Amino acid sequence: IEDIKNYFEALRYLGEYKKAELYLDTLKSLDSTDSKVVNYKRQLNYFDALKRDSSRFTVKDMPFNTGMGDFGPAFYEKGLVYASSRKKGAANNIYGWDYTDFLNSYYTEKDGEEFSKRGTLLKSTFETTPHDGPIFYSKDGKTAYITRNRVEKDQTGQYVQLSIYIAQKGANGKWGTPQPFPYNNKSYSVGHAALSPNGKTLYFASDMPGSVGGVDIWKSDKQGGGWSKPVNLGPLVNTPDDDMFPFVSDEGNLYFASKGHIGLGGLDVFEARKAGNTFMAPINMGYPINTNYDDFALITEKNGNVGYFSSDRKENVDRIYSVNMRRILINLEGIVRDSTTKEPIKNATVIIRNLTLSDSLVIQTNEKGEFSDRKSTRLN
């Protein structure tokens, strides 16, 4: 069954969607509990919709790409910091969660409306080894969260894990020595850090015990000078496959890359909109942000209309792309009333069906009979 699953995924990665669909019935007959197969069977209309070219998105290749492996953009000062192998033919191998290539961080800033065509190497910013990146910076630019390679050894030989290190910028403008995140561990990886807009919660990816799948997205809250025990974001966000590269926008929406949710192949970028203190079910952002290749690490500017992400859609080498997003967001609100008395009905159940996604939102009215899709749960 694993061979058939791998072949199914390989066909999707090659864009052979119709041929891949032929194996869905076989996979379902072999394992009727496989949530990914069940969801693909149930939501083929949604999958077809993802492939359509959306005029709402305009994707552009960034001028500082080298064609040697550039990925993981982050906002810093007046521009972007990104990770690069600067190694001919490199694809970074990041999707196997091993970071086997040498990575360094580069900085580029805008010259008018366009970014510089050449990134500047951050040579000794963090007194680091050759393996560092991606990096995430706090809004004030005074704290950096660095993902680093760490080589471990066991009886089978060497293996690579990821760890997060946190560096502070001093009053003199110089960075101090990065300190390890307290939940780094030699038995699993911790990386891809992203701070919430208010600076109080750190989101990251890890395959630590308790993960739903291979790699999950977790969060830890800042508590005084330390961090709380990590909490898994749960099965609404995480899947039995890999979920990684989190980013929380100024609007509070979560963006991440996933292999497990319904997508076009490889890693796809998803958006989970803010819903109180949690997130709604993720929505695939569709083509042209997503392709049958690996698309990941989306970050957005303050108004949410411009973003930057990574993809190996060209020559199977990671590059950074910009995207202009013309969004159409609809919020549903209303009041449920008795058809005879016209009085509001409290605690009524409202079900909103999405014919494209083949799923539903379930909402309870409040004491005044009011409902909003911002306070809902999703039925699959």
Side-chain angles (χ1 to χ4, degrees):
I1 186 172
E2 288 302 318
D3 289 341
I4 298 176
K5 284 183 178 180
N6 291 334
Y7 187 54
F8 170 75
E9 293 294 348
L11 288 171
R12 293 177 58 248
Y13 191 84
L14 293 171
E16 299 284 349
Y17 299 122
K18 289 299 181 183
K19 189 179 292 186
E21 287 177 18
L22 298 176
Y23 289 87
L24 285 175
D25 287 330
T26 301
L27 288 170
K28 187 175 181 181
S29 66
L30 292 172
D31 184 1
S32 61
T33 64
D34 189 313
S35 60
K36 188 172 185 178
V37 174
V38 171
N39 285 336
Y40 268 100
K41 285 287 293 180
R42 181 175 58 83
Q43 300 190 47
L44 282 178
N45 288 340
Y46 177 37
F47 179 65
D48 289 338
L50 296 179
K51 295 182 290 185
R52 299 174 193 149
D53 192 349
S54 173
S55 60
R56 296 187 296 114
F57 300 136
T58 302
V59 171
K60 184 179 178 181
D61 196 332
M62 298 298 284
F64 52 81
N65 286 319
T66 62
M68 300 179 187
D70 306 291
F71 71 97
F75 297 116
Y76 180 60
E77 294 184 345
K78 298 179 181 179
L80 298 173
V81 168
Y82 58 96
S84 178
S85 66
R86 290 294 195 269
K87 182 178 176 182
K88 188 175 181 181
N92 294 318
N93 297 319
I94 61 173
Y95 315 119
W97 196 237
D98 59 8
Y99 269 72
T100 53
D101 283 319
F102 285 83
L103 300 173
N104 286 296
S105 295
Y106 290 76
Y107 173 74
T108 181
E109 63 182 39
K110 281 187 176 181
D111 182 9
E113 293 298 317
E114 297 292 334
F115 279 92
S116 169
K117 292 184 178 180
R118 185 179 180 86
T120 302
L121 175 65
L122 301 180
K123 289 184 179 179
S124 58
T125 303
F126 302 112
E127 301 176 0
T128 183
T129 65
H131 311 272
D132 66 272
I135 302 175
F136 186 91
Y137 294 88
S138 60
K139 284 190 172 297
D140 61 9
K142 295 181 179 180
T143 307
Y145 299 83
I146 312 151
T147 296
R148 283 185 176 172
N149 266 347
R150 188 184 72 252
V151 178
E152 299 287 350
K153 296 180 180 180
D154 61 15
Q155 61 273 18
T156 63
Q158 290 189 349
Y159 61 97
V160 177
Q161 299 283 30
L162 304 185
S163 294
I164 294 173
Y165 287 80
I166 304 172
Q168 303 289 339
K169 182 183 284 188
N172 60 0
K174 294 183 178 181
W175 290 97
T177 301
Q179 300 301 310
F181 182 57
Y183 299 101
N184 293 341
N185 192 292
K186 69 178 182 178
S187 298
Y188 51 79
S189 285
V190 178
H192 303 175
L195 202 62
S196 63
N198 63 10
K200 296 181 179 180
T201 302
L202 188 70
Y203 294 86
F204 59 92
S206 177
D207 56 349
M208 67 173 60
S211 294
V212 175
V215 179
D216 279 7
I217 297 174
W218 297 72
K219 68 176 181 178
S220 175
D221 294 326
K222 187 175 288 186
Q223 294 182 340
W227 297 91
S228 67
K229 182 179 179 181
V231 174
N232 190 289
L233 293 196
L236 193 65
V237 169
N238 293 312
T239 68
D241 287 303
D242 292 338
D243 306 280
M244 52 183 75
F245 291 102
F247 172 79
V248 179
S249 69
D250 283 354
E251 295 76 27
N253 300 326
L254 171 68
Y255 296 92
F256 66 101
S258 174
K259 285 185 177 180
H261 292 285
I262 292 181
L264 295 176
L267 288 167
D268 272 22
V269 178
F270 290 80
E271 177 187 46
R273 295 178 62 196
K274 180 181 179 181
N277 293 324
T278 184
F279 302 104
M280 296 180 67
I283 300 295
N284 189 300
M285 299 197 72
Y287 186 85
I289 292 179
N290 291 319
T291 65
N292 51 300
Y293 294 96
D294 285 309
D295 310 289
F296 59 100
L298 174 70
I299 62 175
T300 62
E301 293 184 351
K302 188 172 183 179
N303 58 15
N305 294 328
V306 177
Y308 306 93
F309 69 99
S310 311
S311 176
D312 69 346
R313 66 187 62 187
K314 187 177 180 181
E315 301 169 344
N316 293 105
V317 174
D318 297 329
R319 290 176 170 84
I320 296 173
Y321 296 83
S322 66
V323 56
N324 287 317
M325 298 181 281
R326 295 169 287 279
R327 296 175 172 274
I328 302 174
L329 299 178
I330 300 174
N331 291 116
L332 297 176
E333 299 178 345
I335 299 176
V336 177
R337 299 181 184 275
D338 186 286
S339 60
T340 302
T341 65
K342 307 302 181 185
E343 290 295 316
I345 302 176
K346 65 179 181 180
N347 299 324
T349 299
V350 178
I351 300 178
I352 302 173
R353 301 193 183 280
N354 188 318
L355 299 180
T356 300
L357 294 177
S358 303
D359 66 0
S360 304
L361 293 178
V362 179
I363 311 170
Q364 296 294 127
T365 60
N366 61 19
E367 293 293 320
K368 299 179 181 179
E370 301 167 334
F371 68 89
S372 169
D373 68 350
R374 296 176 184 272
K375 300 178 180 179
S376 61
T377 56
R378 187 176 297 278
L379 284 181
N380 288 320

